[in-house]
Amino acid sequence: MATNHQLVEIILDQTLACQDPHSVESQSRHGGIYQPLGPYIPGDQGSYPTTDAAMEALAELADNVRENASDVKLAVSRDRMRMITSEVFGASLNELCREADRTKHWPILRKRIFESTRASGKDIVHYVPVWLFVGQECAPFNIGPIKFVPRSSWLGEIRRRRGKESPWMATVETLWSGGIVNDGSRWSGIKGAVTAFRRNRRSPHMLYQAYKDAKRFSEPTHVFHGRMVARLVHPDQWVGCCEVKGFETEESRRRGVLAVRVALDTIRLALVRPNRALISTAADSVQPLSIERLSQLEQRDLAHGFRINRQGVSGAPGLAKAILDGSRDLFDAAGACISGAASTSNQHACPNLAERWLNAVHWYGRACLADVDFVGVVMLVIALDVLSGGLEQKGILELVARLTGTAMSQQVLNDGTSLKQLVDRTYKLRSEVAHGSILAVHAQLDDARGQLEDLASAALDHYVTRLQKYADAGGIDDRDEFLKSLPAATP
C-alpha cells in the first residue's frame, strides 16, 4: 500500500506528464476508464489533464485523509472529500512544481486539505415539507433541533433567519392566497407571438400560447423564484426546519432530512395505528396521493377509477394539541438524541446509546411506511434487534420486559398470547420471511405486523425516556450497564 507521500508524487508525475500531448501518459488517457477524453483535475485557470492512475491515487489519498481524521470523516462525505482533495491539488499544482524538495509536497498539500475541509462546515437550516396534521389548530413545536411549523408560518421563519423580507415572498403569499401574479412584459409576449407567426404557428391557440410563454419568461427573477417556492409546499403540509451545524453542504442536507424523519418517527410513537403511516416527509416513498385503477374483464370494456390517499393525521378539533401535550417528555428525550446527529459536537451524555435509539427508531419509521406487510415485519424486528444491541430474540425479550415492567409470561394479547410467545413468534416470522421459507408476498401478515408495530412502539418510547433519566444521572454509555439500570425482568 502506497503512503500518502507516494500517492502525491504519483498524482504530480502523472499530471505533469499529461501536459505533453506526445507523452505515453497523455496518449493513455484516450483508452482509460474516462475515454474518450480522459480525466481532469480542476485548477485555478481551468483544469489539468491527467491519467486514470492519478485519479485512483487521488481517490485513495482523499480516503486515507478522511479515515484518519475523525472530525473530517464526521463532517465531510466521501465523495465531497475526494472533490475537495482534487480541487486543493489543482490549486497547489504550480507551487508543488516550484518546490524542488519533494519531501515537502505532502506537508504542503496536507495543510491545505485540512484547511479546506474544516472551512467547508456550515451552519445551515434545512426546510423539509412534511405530511403531519391536517385541519388542526396547532402552534409550531420543537423536537430537539427540528421545529415543525404550518405552511402559513414558514415564511416567517425565513424572514427571522435572514433578518429582512425577501423580494420573492410577495409572490408566494399572493399565490397561496389564491391570487394571480402577472409581472411579465406584454411587449415580450407580443414579440413571442410574432416569432411564432413567422414560424408558421399561426392558429389563434398557438399565437396565444406563444404570447403567454414569452410573457412568463420575461418575469423578474424574484417572481420566478416565488412561483417555484409556492409550488414546493402543499396547502395541507407543514415544514420541518432543522438546523445542522458543522457539516459540509451535502452531508448537512443528508443529516437534516434524516433528523426530520427521525423526529416524525418520534411522533409516530405517540400515535396509534393506522395513523402512524399517515405522516412522512415529502421526500419519502409513500402511496401516491391519487391512485388510479385500470382493469378489464374478458370481453368487457376498460374499467377505470381512482381514489384519494390523503396523507396527514386529522380528527376532532384539539387532537394535535392533545398529542403534543401528552408527549412532551418523549419529545424532549428524543430531541436530545436527534441533536447529536445534527451537529459535529454531540453533547448527549450517552452518545452511543442515543445513536442506538436513533437507528432503531429510524428502522421503525421505515417499517410504518412499508407498503407490504412482510417488509414491515422484517424492519420492525430489525428495529428491536438494534435497540437490544444485537442480542436477538432473547435480548429483545429481556429488554422489552425490563422497559415496560411486563412479566415475560404475562398475557399481552386477547387470545392469551404472552409477551414471551409474542416475541418468539414474531422473531421466528422475521427469520422465515428473511430466509424465504414461506411465500412472504402472499402471506396474510397484517395482524402480526400490527402486533409487532405496537410492541416496537412501546419499547422505543420507554427506551428513550429511560435513557434521558439514566444519562442525567451520570450513567455509563454502555449497552449492558444501561440494561442493568432497568428493573429486573420477571419470568
Side-chain angles (χ1 to χ4, degrees):
M1 179 182 293
T3 64
N4 289 342
H5 169 76
Q6 291 169 333
L7 291 172
V8 170
E9 297 311 306
I10 291 172
I11 303 166
L12 181 62
D13 291 341
Q14 293 282 307
T15 303
L16 291 179
C18 284
Q19 309 316 301
D20 177 5
H22 302 293
S23 68
V24 174
E25 290 79 6
S26 183
Q27 295 297 323
S28 71
R29 286 164 44 83
H30 299 281
I33 59 175
Y34 297 91
Q35 59 180 320
L37 300 177
Y40 287 85
I41 292 178
D44 289 334
Q45 306 295 327
S47 56
Y48 301 103
T50 191
T51 65
D52 295 344
M55 295 303 292
E56 291 171 2
L58 196 61
E60 186 177 345
L61 177 67
D63 293 348
N64 288 348
V65 174
R66 183 172 177 270
E67 284 296 323
N68 291 289
S70 58
D71 59 332
V72 173
K73 184 177 181 180
L74 178 66
V76 183
S77 67
R78 186 200 65 176
D79 290 344
R80 181 57 188 155
M81 185 66 194
R82 290 180 176 184
M83 180 58 70
I84 289 174
T85 304
S86 178
E87 291 169 348
V88 169
F89 189 91
S92 306
L93 186 58
N94 289 332
E95 181 178 348
L96 295 177
C97 292
R98 290 193 297 268
E99 177 54 65
D101 185 354
R102 288 190 166 236
T103 61
K104 296 182 179 179
H105 289 170
W106 167 231
I108 292 172
L109 205 60
R110 178 178 56 199
K111 178 182 177 182
R112 294 187 178 179
I113 289 173
F114 278 114
E115 288 174 349
S116 185
T117 53
R118 285 165 179 156
S120 67
K122 296 178 175 62
D123 181 359
I124 306 175
V125 173
H126 299 280
Y127 300 112
V128 184
V130 300
W131 293 104
L132 186 50
F133 298 121
V134 178
Q136 295 285 312
E137 291 293 330
C138 181
F141 64 96
N142 289 76
I143 299 181
I146 299 94
K147 184 176 184 179
F148 288 105
V149 298
R151 189 180 77 162
S152 58
S153 302
W154 176 47
L155 296 184
E157 294 295 313
I158 300 172
R159 289 190 189 97
R160 180 189 59 78
R161 185 165 176 82
R162 188 182 183 192
K164 63 179 181 179
E165 185 88 1
S166 296
W168 53 266
M169 288 182 176
T171 299
V172 174
E173 291 171 333
T174 299
L175 293 173
W176 281 356
S177 63
I180 298 174
V181 177
N182 289 313
D183 280 349
S185 165
R186 293 182 180 179
W187 176 241
S188 296
I190 292 171
K191 289 197 293 184
V194 170
T195 301
F197 184 84
R198 289 174 177 171
R199 295 176 178 174
N200 290 323
R201 298 171 57 196
R202 298 180 179 180
S203 71
H205 172 73
M206 288 181 174
L207 292 174
Y208 180 63
Q209 189 63 45
Y211 170 84
K212 284 205 314 180
D213 291 345
K215 185 171 180 288
R216 171 69 62 83
F217 289 138
S218 70
E219 288 180 338
T221 302
H222 68 270
V223 175
F224 171 79
H225 286 311
R227 290 188 188 277
M228 290 291 293
V229 172
R231 288 196 295 265
L232 292 177
V233 187
H234 188 276
D236 287 336
Q237 286 180 328
W238 286 51
V239 179
C241 313
C242 179
E243 185 173 11
V244 182
K245 299 180 179 180
F247 298 91
E248 55 88 15
T249 304
E250 286 304 314
E251 181 66 12
S252 177
R253 168 66 182 171
R254 187 184 74 82
R255 286 177 176 266
V257 173
L258 173 64
V260 171
R261 281 180 172 147
V262 173
L264 286 177
D265 295 336
T266 302
I267 298 173
R268 280 185 232 282
L269 299 177
L271 302 176
V272 296
R273 291 182 286 122
N275 290 336
R276 293 171 186 149
L278 295 178
I279 62 174
S280 65
T281 74
D284 286 320
S285 177
V286 297
Q287 291 185 2
L289 189 64
S290 176
I291 302 176
E292 280 71 33
R293 301 177 182 274
L294 299 171
S295 60
Q296 186 179 18
L297 294 171
E298 183 73 22
Q299 297 185 349
R300 299 288 293 274
D301 198 1
L302 177 71
H304 60 87
F306 73 95
R307 70 178 177 88
I308 299 298
N309 177 43
R310 190 178 180 87
Q311 296 289 298
V313 176
S314 60
L319 172 68
K321 186 176 185 304
I323 291 172
L324 299 179
D325 290 346
S327 307
R328 184 44 52 199
D329 289 345
L330 168 64
F331 291 173
D332 288 345
C337 294
I338 297 171
S339 295
S343 173
T344 53
S345 177
N346 192 338
Q347 300 299 318
H348 199 284
C350 297
N352 293 324
L353 292 173
E355 184 177 353
R356 184 183 304 284
W357 179 85
L358 194 81
N359 291 333
V361 79
H362 190 54
W363 275 107
Y364 163 81
R366 299 310 92 191
C368 290
L369 295 178
D371 58 351
V372 288
D373 291 333
F374 76 92
V375 173
V377 165
V378 172
M379 288 183 170
L380 287 165
V381 177
I382 291 174
L384 288 169
D385 204 16
V386 170
L387 198 66
S388 72
L391 297 178
E392 301 182 339
Q393 185 174 335
K394 183 178 179 181
I396 293 172
L397 176 60
E398 181 179 4
L399 179 64
V400 173
R402 283 175 174 247
L403 285 171
T404 62
T406 305
M408 296 181 184
S409 58
Q410 181 176 327
Q411 177 182 329
V412 292
L413 299 180
N414 291 334
D415 63 2
T417 300
S418 68
L419 177 62
K420 183 178 187 307
Q421 289 171 330
L422 176 59
V423 172
D424 290 350
R425 187 169 69 199
T426 52
Y427 199 88
K428 181 175 182 252
L429 179 60
R430 167 260 179 198
S431 299
E432 289 175 342
V433 172
H435 297 296
S437 60
I438 62 172
L439 295 175
V441 174
H442 303 291
Q444 293 294 320
L445 301 177
D446 50 335
D447 287 342
R449 176 181 181 176
Q451 296 161 4
L452 190 52
E453 190 176 297
D454 289 343
L455 180 68
S457 182
L460 289 160
D461 187 337
H462 283 81
Y463 186 102
V464 74
T465 52
R466 293 267 191 170
L467 175 59
Q468 181 76 354
K469 296 176 182 177
Y470 175 79
D472 289 345
I476 300 173
D477 188 16
D478 178 78
R479 177 197 67 185
D480 297 333
E481 291 299 321
F482 174 63
L483 188 63
K484 290 177 185 177
S485 73
L486 302 174
T490 305

